[in-house]
Amino acid sequence: MKVLTRRGLAAAVAAGAAAAAAPALAQAPFPSRPVSMVIPFAAGGPTDTVGRLIAQVMSADLGQPVVVENVGGAGGTLGAQRVAGARPDGHTILLHHIGMATIPTLYRRLAYDPINGFETIGLVTEVPMTLVARRNIEATNLSELVALIRRRGEALNYANAGIGAASHLCGLLFMQAVNTRMTTVSYRGTGPAMNDLVAGTVDLMCDQTTNTTEHIRAGTIRAFAVTTSERVPSLADIPTATEGGLPGFEVSVWHGLYAPRGTPAPVIARLNQALLKALQDSGIAQRFADLGTAPVAPARATPQIHREFWQADIAKWRPLIQAAGQFAD
Ligand code: MLT
């Protein structure tokens, strides 16, 4: 009869424990099926443009399709809610922007936790904004436009993608700078809004260069300023707002990738690896440059840096939004 020694007993216990863990460790490798990238604005807009570009390279790296799913509405909160409530297995991710920093203050009653509902995967890009108008607007430069707005006020229509959108935030800052309110027309994204601006059925918008550059170059809309401290190389003839007489009117739109809270760290790491491939892809770098932006440097594209940057931006915008006193609810 075999006598079970202390060493033998320990080995048996260890083997049992390993066997018990085996099913968990033998989980399907990630990704085991297509990944859904939720874009919280309508197709054809700036967020959609960034998402579709990085999705292509991420798909190749992950070996599974990264399928863009546009879930617009409510200033980008419906799409964010969709991801916050998804299974935390890495197969549903969110591409969002500066709205993730303003929504926690703007929306005081949400069906999801706008801060603790997400894991950060990494920052993607930072996009300048442009103040643009229908091409036949009665102004040829920013000071004439400001005079027109102060004269006509709410007779002018300003397009945005809902409270929480970058176009809403830029509009808030712009109307504060000119100390005049216009009538806001909200869309499910600035893609559809651009159609109306080109058609001339809406007067003004502040939108990202990823959506306005080609229209400005084609002359289908008129640009009055960029909202960055320096001119944008791909739109070098457009003055900054400061040059145009509105000092301090600066805002640019950072974008980041998120997963539902509780997504395992190895899955986040694998998604971050695929994101880094996209950020270092020469084709994406060129397309981003054509549209006035650039991928963030790989050293800045870690989940931790993304979370720290995001938390700091929430804290930055909270007092400004509270002082404006305009909330979504
Ligand atoms: C969009 O993609 O439609 C824009 O990001 C909306 C916005 O934030 O203004």
Coordinates of all heavy atoms in Angstrom, one line a residue, residues 5-98:
T5 N 3.1 10.6 1.7 CA 4.0 11.4 2.5 C 3.5 12.9 2.5 O 2.6 13.2 1.7 CB 5.4 11.4 2.0 OG1 5.3 12.0 0.7 CG2 6.0 10.0 1.8
R6 N 4.0 13.7 3.4 CA 3.6 15.1 3.5 C 3.8 15.7 2.1 O 3.0 16.5 1.6 CB 4.4 15.8 4.6 CG 4.0 17.2 4.8 CD 5.0 17.9 5.8 NE 4.9 17.2 7.1 CZ 4.0 17.7 8.1 NH1 3.2 18.7 7.8 NH2 4.0 17.1 9.2
R7 N 5.0 15.4 1.5 CA 5.4 16.0 0.2 C 4.4 15.6 -0.8 O 3.9 16.3 -1.7 CB 6.8 15.6 -0.1 CG 7.3 16.2 -1.5 CD 8.6 15.5 -1.9 NE 9.7 15.9 -0.9 CZ 10.5 16.9 -1.1 NH1 10.3 17.7 -2.1 NH2 11.4 17.2 -0.2
G8 N 4.0 14.3 -0.7 CA 3.1 13.7 -1.7 C 1.8 14.4 -1.6 O 1.1 14.7 -2.6
L9 N 1.3 14.6 -0.3 CA 0.0 15.2 -0.1 C 0.0 16.6 -0.7 O -0.9 17.0 -1.4 CB -0.3 15.3 1.4 CG -1.7 15.9 1.8 CD1 -2.8 15.1 1.2 CD2 -1.8 16.0 3.3
A10 N 1.1 17.4 -0.5 CA 1.2 18.8 -1.0 C 1.1 18.7 -2.5 O 0.4 19.5 -3.2 CB 2.5 19.4 -0.5
A11 N 1.8 17.8 -3.1 CA 1.8 17.7 -4.6 C 0.4 17.4 -5.1 O -0.1 17.9 -6.1 CB 2.8 16.6 -5.0
A12 N -0.3 16.5 -4.4 CA -1.7 16.1 -4.8 C -2.6 17.3 -4.7 O -3.4 17.6 -5.6 CB -2.2 15.0 -3.9
V13 N -2.5 18.1 -3.6 CA -3.3 19.3 -3.5 C -3.0 20.3 -4.6 O -3.9 20.8 -5.2 CB -3.1 19.9 -2.1 CG1 -3.7 21.3 -2.0 CG2 -3.6 19.0 -1.0
A14 N -1.7 20.4 -4.9 CA -1.4 21.4 -5.9 C -1.9 21.0 -7.3 O -2.5 21.7 -8.0 CB 0.1 21.5 -6.0
A15 N -1.8 19.7 -7.5 CA -2.3 19.2 -8.8 C -3.9 19.4 -8.9 O -4.4 19.8 -9.9 CB -2.0 17.7 -8.9
G16 N -4.5 19.1 -7.8 CA -6.0 19.3 -7.8 C -6.3 20.7 -8.0 O -7.2 21.1 -8.8
A17 N -5.6 21.6 -7.4 CA -5.9 23.1 -7.6 C -5.7 23.5 -9.1 O -6.5 24.2 -9.7 CB -5.0 23.9 -6.7
A18 N -4.6 22.9 -9.6 CA -4.3 23.3 -11.0 C -5.4 22.8 -11.9 O -5.9 23.4 -12.8 CB -3.0 22.7 -11.5
A19 N -5.9 21.5 -11.6 CA -7.0 20.9 -12.5 C -8.2 21.8 -12.3 O -8.9 22.1 -13.3 CB -7.2 19.5 -12.0
A20 N -8.5 22.3 -11.1 CA -9.7 23.1 -10.9 C -9.6 24.4 -11.7 O -10.6 24.8 -12.2 CB -9.9 23.4 -9.4
A21 N -8.4 24.9 -11.8 CA -8.3 26.2 -12.5 C -8.2 26.0 -14.0 O -8.5 26.9 -14.8 CB -7.0 26.9 -12.1
A22 N -8.0 24.8 -14.4 CA -7.8 24.5 -15.9 C -8.9 25.1 -16.7 O -8.6 25.9 -17.7 CB -7.6 23.1 -16.1
P23 N -10.2 24.8 -16.4 CA -11.2 25.4 -17.3 C -11.1 26.9 -17.5 O -11.2 27.4 -18.6 CB -12.5 25.0 -16.6 CG -12.2 23.8 -15.8 CD -10.8 24.0 -15.4
A24 N -10.8 27.6 -16.4 CA -10.7 29.1 -16.5 C -9.6 29.4 -17.4 O -9.7 30.3 -18.3 CB -10.5 29.7 -15.1
L25 N -8.4 28.8 -17.2 CA -7.3 29.2 -18.0 C -7.4 28.7 -19.4 O -6.9 29.3 -20.3 CB -6.0 28.5 -17.3 CG -5.7 29.0 -15.9 CD1 -4.5 28.2 -15.4 CD2 -5.4 30.5 -15.9
A26 N -8.3 27.8 -19.6 CA -8.4 27.3 -21.0 C -9.5 28.1 -21.7 O -10.0 27.6 -22.8 CB -8.8 25.8 -21.0
Q27 N -9.9 29.2 -21.2 CA -10.9 30.0 -21.9 C -10.5 30.3 -23.3 O -9.3 30.4 -23.6 CB -11.1 31.4 -21.1 CG -12.1 31.3 -19.9 CD -12.1 32.6 -19.1 OE1 -11.3 33.5 -19.4 NE2 -12.9 32.6 -18.1
A28 N -11.5 30.6 -24.1 CA -11.1 30.9 -25.5 C -10.2 32.1 -25.6 O -10.4 33.0 -24.8 CB -12.4 31.2 -26.3
P29 N -9.2 32.0 -26.5 CA -8.3 33.2 -26.6 C -9.1 34.4 -27.1 O -10.1 34.3 -27.7 CB -7.3 32.7 -27.7 CG -8.0 31.7 -28.5 CD -9.0 31.0 -27.5
F30 N -8.6 35.6 -26.6 CA -9.3 36.8 -27.0 C -8.6 37.4 -28.3 O -7.4 37.5 -28.3 CB -9.2 37.9 -25.9 CG -9.7 39.2 -26.4 CD1 -11.1 39.4 -26.4 CD2 -8.9 40.2 -26.8 CE1 -11.6 40.7 -26.9 CE2 -9.4 41.4 -27.3 CZ -10.7 41.6 -27.3
P31 N -9.3 37.9 -29.3 CA -10.8 37.8 -29.4 C -11.2 36.5 -30.0 O -10.5 36.0 -30.9 CB -11.1 39.0 -30.3 CG -9.9 39.1 -31.2 CD -8.7 38.7 -30.4
S32 N -12.4 36.0 -29.5 CA -12.9 34.7 -30.1 C -14.0 35.0 -31.1 O -14.5 34.0 -31.7 CB -13.4 33.9 -28.9 OG -14.4 34.6 -28.3
R33 N -14.3 36.3 -31.3 CA -15.4 36.6 -32.3 C -15.2 38.1 -32.7 O -14.4 38.7 -32.1 CB -16.8 36.3 -31.7 CG -17.1 37.2 -30.5 CD -18.5 36.8 -30.0 NE -19.0 37.7 -28.9 CZ -18.6 37.6 -27.6 NH1 -17.7 36.7 -27.3 NH2 -19.0 38.5 -26.8
P34 N -16.0 38.6 -33.6 CA -15.8 40.0 -34.0 C -16.0 40.9 -32.8 O -16.7 40.6 -31.9 CB -16.9 40.2 -35.0 CG -17.1 38.9 -35.7 CD -16.9 37.9 -34.6
V35 N -15.2 42.0 -32.9 CA -15.3 43.1 -31.8 C -16.2 44.2 -32.3 O -16.0 44.7 -33.5 CB -13.9 43.6 -31.5 CG1 -13.9 44.8 -30.5 CG2 -13.0 42.5 -30.9
S36 N -17.1 44.6 -31.5 CA -18.0 45.8 -31.9 C -17.3 47.0 -31.3 O -17.1 47.1 -30.1 CB -19.4 45.6 -31.3 OG -20.1 46.8 -31.5
M37 N -17.0 48.0 -32.2 CA -16.6 49.3 -31.8 C -17.8 50.3 -31.9 O -18.2 50.7 -33.0 CB -15.4 49.8 -32.6 CG -14.9 51.2 -32.2 SD -13.8 52.0 -33.4 CE -12.3 51.1 -33.0
V38 N -18.3 50.6 -30.7 CA -19.5 51.6 -30.7 C -19.0 53.0 -30.9 O -18.1 53.4 -30.2 CB -20.2 51.4 -29.4 CG1 -21.3 52.5 -29.2 CG2 -20.9 50.0 -29.3
I39 N -19.6 53.7 -31.9 CA -19.3 55.1 -32.1 C -20.6 55.8 -31.6 O -21.6 55.6 -32.2 CB -19.1 55.4 -33.6 CG1 -17.9 54.5 -34.1 CG2 -18.9 56.9 -33.8 CD1 -16.5 55.0 -33.7
P40 N -20.5 56.7 -30.6 CA -21.7 57.3 -30.0 C -22.3 58.4 -30.8 O -23.0 59.2 -30.3 CB -21.3 57.7 -28.6 CG -19.8 58.1 -28.8 CD -19.3 57.1 -29.9
F41 N -21.9 58.5 -32.1 CA -22.5 59.6 -33.0 C -22.8 58.9 -34.3 O -22.3 57.9 -34.6 CB -21.5 60.7 -33.1 CG -21.3 61.4 -31.8 CD1 -20.1 61.2 -31.1 CD2 -22.2 62.3 -31.3 CE1 -19.8 61.9 -29.9 CE2 -22.0 62.9 -30.0 CZ -20.8 62.7 -29.4
A42 N -23.6 59.7 -35.1 CA -24.0 59.2 -36.4 C -22.8 58.9 -37.4 O -21.8 59.5 -37.2 CB -25.0 60.1 -37.1
A43 N -23.1 58.0 -38.3 CA -22.0 57.7 -39.3 C -21.7 59.0 -40.1 O -22.6 59.9 -40.2 CB -22.5 56.6 -40.3
G44 N -20.5 59.1 -40.6 CA -20.1 60.2 -41.5 C -19.6 61.4 -40.7 O -19.2 62.4 -41.3
G45 N -19.6 61.4 -39.4 CA -19.0 62.5 -38.6 C -17.6 62.3 -38.2 O -17.0 61.2 -38.6
P46 N -17.0 63.2 -37.5 CA -15.6 63.1 -37.1 C -15.2 61.9 -36.2 O -14.2 61.3 -36.4 CB -15.3 64.4 -36.4 CG -16.6 64.9 -36.0 CD -17.6 64.4 -37.0
T47 N -16.1 61.5 -35.3 CA -15.8 60.4 -34.5 C -15.8 59.1 -35.3 O -15.0 58.2 -35.1 CB -16.8 60.3 -33.3 OG1 -16.9 61.6 -32.7 CG2 -16.3 59.4 -32.2
D48 N -16.8 59.0 -36.1 CA -16.9 57.9 -37.0 C -15.7 57.8 -38.0 O -15.2 56.7 -38.2 CB -18.2 58.1 -37.9 CG -18.5 56.9 -38.8 OD1 -18.9 55.8 -38.2 OD2 -18.4 57.0 -40.0
T49 N -15.2 58.9 -38.4 CA -14.0 58.9 -39.3 C -12.8 58.3 -38.6 O -12.2 57.4 -39.1 CB -13.7 60.4 -39.8 OG1 -14.9 60.8 -40.5 CG2 -12.5 60.4 -40.6
V50 N -12.6 58.8 -37.4 CA -11.5 58.3 -36.6 C -11.6 56.8 -36.3 O -10.7 56.0 -36.5 CB -11.3 59.1 -35.3 CG1 -10.3 58.4 -34.3 CG2 -10.9 60.5 -35.5
G51 N -12.9 56.4 -35.9 CA -13.1 55.0 -35.5 C -12.9 54.1 -36.7 O -12.3 53.0 -36.5
R52 N -13.4 54.4 -37.8 CA -13.3 53.5 -39.0 C -11.9 53.3 -39.4 O -11.4 52.3 -39.9 CB -14.2 53.9 -40.1 CG -15.7 53.7 -39.8 CD -16.6 54.2 -40.9 NE -18.0 54.2 -40.4 CZ -18.8 53.2 -40.4 NH1 -18.4 52.0 -40.8 NH2 -20.0 53.2 -39.9
L53 N -11.1 54.4 -39.3 CA -9.7 54.3 -39.7 C -8.9 53.4 -38.8 O -8.2 52.5 -39.2 CB -9.0 55.7 -39.7 CG -9.4 56.6 -40.9 CD1 -8.9 58.1 -40.6 CD2 -8.8 56.1 -42.2
I54 N -9.1 53.5 -37.5 CA -8.3 52.6 -36.6 C -8.9 51.2 -36.5 O -8.1 50.3 -36.3 CB -8.2 53.2 -35.1 CG1 -9.5 53.3 -34.4 CG2 -7.5 54.6 -35.1 CD1 -9.4 53.7 -33.0
A55 N -10.2 51.1 -36.8 CA -10.8 49.8 -36.8 C -10.1 48.8 -37.8 O -9.9 47.6 -37.6 CB -12.3 49.8 -37.0
Q56 N -9.8 49.4 -39.0 CA -9.2 48.6 -40.0 C -7.9 47.9 -39.6 O -7.7 46.7 -39.7 CB -9.0 49.4 -41.3 CG -10.2 49.9 -42.0 CD -9.9 50.9 -43.1 OE1 -8.7 51.2 -43.4 NE2 -10.9 51.5 -43.7
V57 N -7.1 48.7 -39.0 CA -5.7 48.2 -38.6 C -5.9 47.3 -37.4 O -5.2 46.3 -37.3 CB -4.8 49.4 -38.3 CG1 -3.4 48.9 -37.8 CG2 -4.6 50.3 -39.5
M58 N -6.8 47.7 -36.5 CA -7.0 46.8 -35.3 C -7.5 45.5 -35.7 O -7.1 44.4 -35.1 CB -7.9 47.5 -34.3 CG -7.3 48.8 -33.6 SD -8.4 49.6 -32.4 CE -8.4 48.4 -31.1
S59 N -8.4 45.5 -36.7 CA -8.9 44.2 -37.2 C -7.8 43.3 -37.6 O -7.7 42.1 -37.3 CB -9.9 44.4 -38.3 OG -11.0 45.1 -38.0
A60 N -6.9 43.8 -38.4 CA -5.8 43.0 -39.0 C -4.9 42.5 -37.8 O -4.5 41.3 -37.9 CB -5.0 43.9 -39.9
D61 N -4.7 43.3 -36.8 CA -3.8 42.8 -35.7 C -4.5 41.8 -34.9 O -3.9 40.8 -34.4 CB -3.4 44.1 -34.9 CG -2.4 43.6 -33.8 OD1 -1.3 43.2 -34.2 OD2 -2.8 43.7 -32.6
L62 N -5.8 42.0 -34.6 CA -6.5 41.1 -33.7 C -6.9 39.8 -34.4 O -7.3 38.8 -33.8 CB -7.8 41.8 -33.2 CG -7.5 42.9 -32.2 CD1 -8.8 43.7 -32.0 CD2 -7.0 42.4 -30.9
G63 N -7.0 39.8 -35.7 CA -7.4 38.6 -36.5 C -8.9 38.4 -36.4 O -9.4 37.3 -36.7
Q64 N -9.7 39.4 -36.0 CA -11.1 39.3 -36.0 C -11.6 40.7 -36.5 O -11.0 41.7 -36.2 CB -11.7 39.1 -34.6 CG -11.5 37.7 -34.0 CD -12.6 36.7 -34.6 OE1 -13.5 37.1 -35.4 NE2 -12.5 35.5 -34.2
P65 N -12.8 40.7 -37.2 CA -13.3 42.0 -37.6 C -13.6 42.9 -36.4 O -14.1 42.5 -35.4 CB -14.6 41.7 -38.4 CG -14.5 40.2 -38.7 CD -13.6 39.6 -37.6
V66 N -13.2 44.2 -36.6 CA -13.6 45.2 -35.6 C -14.7 46.0 -36.3 O -14.4 46.7 -37.3 CB -12.5 46.1 -35.2 CG1 -13.0 47.3 -34.3 CG2 -11.4 45.3 -34.4
V67 N -16.0 45.8 -35.9 CA -17.1 46.3 -36.6 C -17.6 47.5 -36.0 O -18.0 47.5 -34.8 CB -18.2 45.2 -36.6 CG1 -19.5 45.7 -37.4 CG2 -17.7 43.9 -37.2
V68 N -17.7 48.6 -36.8 CA -18.1 49.9 -36.2 C -19.7 49.9 -36.1 O -20.4 49.5 -37.1 CB -17.7 51.1 -37.1 CG1 -18.5 52.4 -36.8 CG2 -16.2 51.3 -36.9
E69 N -20.2 50.3 -35.0 CA -21.6 50.3 -34.7 C -22.0 51.7 -34.3 O -21.6 52.2 -33.2 CB -22.0 49.3 -33.6 CG -23.4 49.1 -33.4 CD -23.7 48.1 -32.3 OE1 -22.8 47.5 -31.7 OE2 -24.9 48.0 -31.9
N70 N -22.7 52.5 -35.1 CA -23.0 53.9 -34.7 C -24.3 53.9 -33.8 O -25.3 53.4 -34.2 CB -23.3 54.7 -36.0 CG -22.1 54.8 -36.9 OD1 -21.9 54.0 -37.8 ND2 -21.2 55.8 -36.6
V71 N -24.1 54.3 -32.6 CA -25.2 54.4 -31.7 C -25.3 55.9 -31.2 O -24.7 56.3 -30.2 CB -25.0 53.5 -30.5 CG1 -26.2 53.6 -29.5 CG2 -24.8 52.1 -30.9
G72 N -26.0 56.7 -32.0 CA -26.0 58.2 -31.8 C -27.2 58.5 -30.8 O -28.0 57.7 -30.5
G73 N -27.2 59.8 -30.5 CA -28.3 60.3 -29.7 C -27.8 60.8 -28.3 O -26.9 60.2 -27.7
A74 N -28.6 61.8 -27.8 CA -28.4 62.3 -26.4 C -26.9 62.7 -26.2 O -26.3 62.3 -25.1 CB -28.8 61.3 -25.4
G75 N -26.3 63.3 -27.2 CA -25.0 63.9 -27.0 C -23.9 62.9 -26.7 O -22.9 63.2 -26.1
G76 N -24.1 61.7 -27.2 CA -23.1 60.6 -27.1 C -23.3 59.7 -25.9 O -22.5 58.8 -25.6
T77 N -24.3 60.0 -25.1 CA -24.5 59.2 -23.9 C -25.2 57.8 -24.2 O -25.0 56.8 -23.5 CB -25.4 59.9 -22.9 OG1 -26.7 60.3 -23.4 CG2 -24.7 61.2 -22.4
L78 N -26.0 57.7 -25.3 CA -26.7 56.5 -25.6 C -25.6 55.4 -26.0 O -25.7 54.3 -25.5 CB -27.7 56.6 -26.7 CG -28.9 57.5 -26.3 CD1 -30.0 57.4 -27.5 CD2 -29.5 57.1 -25.0
G79 N -24.7 55.8 -26.8 CA -23.6 54.9 -27.2 C -22.8 54.5 -26.0 O -22.4 53.3 -25.8
A80 N -22.5 55.4 -25.1 CA -21.6 55.1 -23.9 C -22.4 54.2 -23.0 O -21.8 53.2 -22.5 CB -21.3 56.4 -23.2
Q81 N -23.7 54.4 -22.9 CA -24.5 53.5 -22.0 C -24.5 52.1 -22.6 O -24.4 51.1 -21.8 CB -26.0 54.0 -22.0 CG -26.9 53.2 -21.1 CD -28.3 53.8 -21.1 OE1 -28.5 55.0 -21.4 NE2 -29.3 53.0 -20.7
R82 N -24.6 52.0 -23.9 CA -24.6 50.6 -24.5 C -23.3 49.9 -24.1 O -23.4 48.7 -23.7 CB -24.6 50.8 -26.0 CG -24.3 49.5 -26.8 CD -25.5 48.6 -26.9 NE -26.5 49.1 -27.7 CZ -26.6 49.1 -29.0 NH1 -25.6 48.5 -29.7 NH2 -27.6 49.6 -29.7
V83 N -22.2 50.5 -24.1 CA -20.9 49.9 -23.8 C -20.8 49.6 -22.3 O -20.4 48.5 -21.9 CB -19.7 50.7 -24.3 CG1 -18.4 50.0 -23.9 CG2 -19.8 50.7 -25.9
A84 N -21.2 50.6 -21.5 CA -21.2 50.4 -20.0 C -21.9 49.1 -19.6 O -21.6 48.5 -18.7 CB -21.7 51.6 -19.3
G85 N -23.0 48.8 -20.4 CA -23.8 47.7 -20.0 C -23.5 46.4 -20.7 O -24.1 45.4 -20.5
A86 N -22.4 46.4 -21.5 CA -22.1 45.2 -22.3 C -21.3 44.2 -21.5 O -20.7 44.6 -20.4 CB -21.2 45.7 -23.5
R87 N -21.2 43.0 -21.9 CA -20.4 42.0 -21.2 C -18.9 42.4 -21.2 O -18.4 42.8 -22.3 CB -20.5 40.6 -21.9 CG -21.7 39.8 -21.5 CD -21.7 38.5 -22.3 NE -20.5 37.7 -22.1 CZ -20.3 36.6 -22.8 NH1 -21.1 36.3 -23.8 NH2 -19.2 35.9 -22.6
P88 N -18.3 42.4 -20.0 CA -16.9 42.9 -20.0 C -15.9 41.8 -20.5 O -15.1 41.4 -19.7 CB -16.7 43.2 -18.5 CG -17.6 42.2 -17.8 CD -18.8 42.0 -18.7
D89 N -16.0 41.5 -21.7 CA -15.1 40.4 -22.3 C -14.3 40.9 -23.4 O -13.6 40.2 -24.1 CB -16.0 39.2 -22.7 CG -16.9 39.6 -23.9 OD1 -16.9 40.7 -24.4 OD2 -17.8 38.7 -24.2
G90 N -14.3 42.3 -23.6 CA -13.5 42.9 -24.7 C -14.0 42.9 -26.1 O -13.5 43.5 -27.0
H91 N -15.2 42.2 -26.3 CA -15.8 42.2 -27.6 C -16.7 43.4 -27.9 O -17.3 43.5 -29.0 CB -16.5 40.9 -27.8 CG -15.6 39.7 -27.9 ND1 -15.3 38.9 -26.8 CD2 -14.8 39.2 -28.9 CE1 -14.4 38.0 -27.1 NE2 -14.1 38.1 -28.4
T92 N -16.9 44.3 -26.9 CA -17.6 45.5 -27.1 C -16.7 46.7 -26.6 O -16.4 46.7 -25.4 CB -19.0 45.5 -26.4 OG1 -19.7 44.4 -26.8 CG2 -19.7 46.8 -26.8
I93 N -16.3 47.6 -27.4 CA -15.5 48.7 -27.0 C -16.1 50.0 -27.5 O -17.1 50.0 -28.3 CB -14.1 48.6 -27.5 CG1 -14.0 48.5 -29.0 CG2 -13.4 47.4 -26.9 CD1 -12.5 48.5 -29.6
L94 N -15.7 51.1 -26.9 CA -16.3 52.4 -27.2 C -15.2 53.4 -27.6 O -14.1 53.5 -27.0 CB -16.9 53.0 -25.9 CG -17.4 54.4 -25.9 CD1 -18.6 54.6 -26.8 CD2 -17.7 54.9 -24.5
L95 N -15.4 54.0 -28.8 CA -14.5 55.2 -29.1 C -15.3 56.4 -28.8 O -16.4 56.7 -29.4 CB -14.1 55.2 -30.6 CG -13.3 56.4 -31.0 CD1 -11.9 56.3 -30.4 CD2 -13.3 56.6 -32.5
H96 N -14.8 57.2 -27.9 CA -15.5 58.5 -27.5 C -14.4 59.6 -27.4 O -13.3 59.4 -27.7 CB -16.2 58.3 -26.2 CG -17.4 59.1 -26.0 ND1 -17.5 60.4 -26.4 CD2 -18.7 58.8 -25.5 CE1 -18.7 60.9 -26.2 NE2 -19.5 60.0 -25.7
H97 N -15.0 60.8 -27.1 CA -14.0 61.9 -27.1 C -14.2 62.7 -25.8 O -14.6 62.2 -24.8 CB -14.2 62.7 -28.4 CG -15.6 63.3 -28.5 ND1 -16.4 63.7 -27.5 CD2 -16.3 63.5 -29.7 CE1 -17.5 64.2 -28.0 NE2 -17.5 64.1 -29.3
I98 N -13.9 64.0 -25.9 CA -13.9 64.9 -24.8 C -15.2 64.9 -24.0 O -15.3 65.2 -22.8 CB -13.6 66.4 -25.2 CG1 -13.3 67.3 -24.0 CG2 -14.7 66.9 -26.1 CD1 -12.8 68.7 -24.5

